[in-house]
Every structure is written in structure tokens, then in C-alpha cells.
Amino acid sequence: MKVTEYLKNTDKTHFSFEILPPLKGQSLTNLLEGITPLMEFNPPFIDVTYHREEYMYKKHANGLLEKISTRKRPGTVGICAAIMNKFKVDAVPHLLCGGFSKEETENALIDLYFIGVENVLALRGDAPKLEPNFVANKDGHQFASELVAQITGMNQGKYLHDETEIGFQTDFCIGVAGYPEKHFEAPSLNFDLKKLKAKIDAGATYIVTQMFFDNQKYFDFVEKVRAAGINVPIIPGLKPITTLSQMVNLPKMFFLDLPDDLMVELEKCKNNADVKEVGIEWAIQQSKELVKYGVPTLHYYTMSKADTTYKVAKEVF
């Protein structure tokens, strides 16, 4: 079932969440066991992230360094199949521009459709960790709107190397990312909204936001998105703060602000246990206010650690 159909078929706020594939060499068992408690809240869908290659340098005996490409978190397609089989819910894999050619994207979409996946989240993705700027792969997509257009084309039976005029038509529901505090590369929020509009015009039918900690920024974002002529559902993304280091790392990595009221409480914390307690309570209050506002779904970034999200959801759903 499509994400947009879930959102239309009820007047209540859904619960959904995102997970990361395990690191290469780790078992899937722990991930699935972590998902199990969250099924209490009846998520209609679960997002599974996709990860591009990363680079590392291997030093040889002669002192020279060799640049090696590795994909540390493979397995997105297999995890989607496992989730759908075990929990009988829809899996929403992420698809990236970065690290993939158009041909690799097309093949991944065919694999996903054949195992019963009906929804995808189309993202540009980030530059590799050791690279300063995002650069598209050879024969890859530079912008998420281009990736959306490719998926839309497959929904219309258009393939890269058509042997027939119209091929087999997929039927993907396409989600995209939105940034209440704007994408860090965008020179202004209005410019960012134009990029978002391009993704919707290319065929995307819902938006999931970057995490935020100030609900007013989400409310303002929704108002501006609607004013820009975008009328698809906008799902808020949430993440409880759980460690002292996240007070610095989250704003730095995701280019977001922490509200003053939250910082006042966090600055009182002496250890990670204190931070986690504050973070959970803040997320509970955030969630309750968003439910009153009438959001279609509360979408939690779990980082594959279910306990914190469970405590929040227990108080909200």
C-alpha cells in the first residue's frame, strides 16, 4: 500500500520510523529484535536508509597510500524484504543520487518492485566523508529532482535503454526530503522551496522533513510550502537527543538550531543519562503538540536504537 493511501485513509496521526542497515559483518538479528517493540504502535511503514560508498586510505609498506572505496552499510533491499515478511508492514527504502549511476538506480528499482516494495524516498545524499562537495557519479544524478523524474519515468514504462516503446510500468509512490531550516547548501529558504517544488513537479507525492526541535519552524515551513503551491502531505521528522555530544554534533551535522528552552535544560545535565531523560521529555511534548496540529504521521529517526523512540511513542500513541 502506498504511503499516501495510508495518510488518506485515517484522520489520526500515524507512527513511523527510520532504521539503518547494520554495519557490514553484523547480523540482521539485532536490528529486527529492535524493531519488534515498536510494532506495538502499528507503524504502517518503516523507512530503511541507503548508503553510498565511503573512502579510506590503506598505507602500504613503501609508505604510499591507496584510496579504497567501501560500502559500510549494505543490505537495504534485503532488509526491506525481511521487514515486509516478518512484520507485514510496508518498507520504504531510500534511494540516493550520490554513489549510483542511472543504470544502477534502474536495476535497484526493478529489484525493489519485484519484491513488493511500493514506496521509495528519493534523496540526493551527501558527499563522501573525505570529499568537500557533492559530485554526481558518472552517468548519475546531480539533483534529487532528476532521480524523482527517473522513477516517475519507470512508472510510465520508460527505461534507459528502451527496446520497446513502452516497457513494464512500475507504480512507486515517491517521497522526498524537506528542510524546515533550509538545506545547508541553499542560499535562502525561498531558493530551497523552489528546489522542493521541482521535486514535486517531477512526480513526488509526499515530503518527509529533516529533524527539527522547534515545532514553530515546522509550522512556518508548512505555511511557506503551501504558499509555494505545494499541496502534498508533509511528514515531520523527529529525533530525541540522547547524549551530551549531540548538543554539538546534531547542529553541526544537520545544520539545525536547538531552542533556547531545550538548551537551558540540557546545560543542567551532567551525563548522558540526564540528557536522555531531557531529550525524551522534549520529544514527547513536541510530538503531542504536532498531533494536536494534525500532522499525518510522526516519523522518528531511531538510528536503529529503539528504546528511546519506544518511550516517546508510549506517551503519545
Side-chain angles (χ1 to χ4, degrees):
M1 191 166 169
K2 294 178 174 58
V3 167
T4 49
E5 292 173 343
Y6 285 117
L7 305 185
K8 287 179 183 177
N9 290 343
T10 181
D11 57 358
K12 70 173 185 178
T13 297
H14 288 290
F15 164 82
S16 63
F17 59 95
E18 174 187 293
I19 59 171
L20 306 176
L23 289 167
K24 186 182 291 186
Q26 294 183 356
S27 168
L28 186 59
T29 302
N30 289 341
L31 178 63
L32 296 178
E33 288 177 351
I35 291 173
T36 300
L38 297 177
M39 299 309 296
E40 176 182 335
F41 310 108
N42 300 312
F45 58 89
I46 299 170
D47 275 37
V48 185
T49 60
Y50 222 116
H51 295 262
R52 66 172 301 159
E53 81 285 1
E54 296 182 28
Y55 296 109
M56 56 186 292
Y57 287 90
K58 180 179 179 181
K59 189 173 183 178
H60 293 281
N62 60 6
L64 295 178
L65 295 176
E66 179 186 3
K67 188 178 182 180
I68 298 174
S69 172
T70 181
R71 206 177 296 275
K72 291 186 176 180
R73 292 185 183 271
T76 296
V77 174
I79 291 170
C80 288
I83 287 172
M84 293 188 296
N85 180 61
K86 182 176 177 64
F87 300 110
K88 311 304 179 188
V89 300
D90 281 291
V92 183
H94 295 188
L95 286 176
L96 305 179
C97 297
F100 300 91
S101 69
K102 296 172 188 175
E103 183 84 25
E104 289 169 328
T105 296
E106 183 173 270
N107 291 337
L109 286 163
I110 291 170
D111 287 343
L112 290 167
Y113 199 70
F114 283 175
I115 65 170
V117 168
E118 295 185 54
N119 306 277
V120 293
L121 191 69
L123 307 167
R124 190 200 72 173
D126 299 322
K129 288 183 179 179
L130 298 179
E131 303 291 335
N133 300 308
F134 177 87
V135 177
N137 276 37
K138 183 180 179 181
D139 195 33
H141 295 299
Q142 180 69 29
F143 301 106
S145 57
E146 297 170 351
L147 175 56
V148 172
Q150 180 180 4
I151 303 167
T152 300
M154 289 181 64
N155 284 349
Q156 298 167 350
K158 298 175 184 177
Y159 291 78
L160 294 174
H161 309 294
D162 283 331
E163 296 182 1
T164 59
E165 186 173 341
I166 298 294
F168 175 75
Q169 295 178 333
T170 56
D171 190 24
F172 288 110
C173 173
I174 309 167
V176 292
Y179 300 86
E181 299 175 70
K182 88 173 183 61
H183 191 279
F184 74 97
E185 293 178 5
S188 71
L189 181 56
N190 284 336
F191 181 88
D192 203 28
L193 289 174
K194 289 179 182 178
K195 294 292 186 181
L196 180 58
K197 181 71 160 53
K199 292 187 281 189
I200 302 303
D201 290 346
T205 53
Y206 72 97
I207 298 165
V208 183
T209 76
Q210 174 67 279
M211 71 179 74
F212 58 89
F213 294 88
D214 182 350
N215 283 352
Q216 189 58 50
K217 294 193 174 181
Y218 171 81
F219 301 147
D220 293 343
F221 177 70
V222 171
E223 184 177 334
K224 290 175 181 177
V225 168
R226 299 301 181 225
I230 301 171
N231 297 306
V232 302
I234 304 173
I235 297 172
L238 302 174
K239 182 195 180 324
I241 289 183
T242 56
T243 65
L244 288 164
S245 63
Q246 287 178 356
M247 287 191 285
V248 175
N249 291 338
L250 289 180
K252 183 170 64 174
M253 292 174 62
F254 297 101
F255 302 91
L256 50 81
D257 291 332
L258 299 181
D260 289 336
D261 289 348
L262 175 57
M263 282 305 304
V264 167
E265 297 305 314
L266 290 173
E267 287 176 337
K268 298 176 185 176
C269 297
K270 297 180 180 179
N271 51 50
N272 287 341
D274 292 343
V275 171
K276 192 171 184 179
E277 185 176 340
V278 169
I280 289 172
E281 183 56 32
W282 186 271
I284 290 170
Q285 298 309 317
Q286 245 195 303
S287 299
K288 288 181 176 180
E289 184 179 29
L290 289 165
V291 169
K292 288 182 181 178
Y293 181 79
V295 300
T297 298
L298 289 174
H299 189 70
Y300 295 91
Y301 298 111
T302 69
M303 308 300 286
S304 296
K305 297 177 181 177
D307 61 321
T308 304
T309 301
Y310 180 88
K311 290 176 181 177
V312 174
K314 192 71 174 175
E315 299 297 321
V316 178
F317 295 94

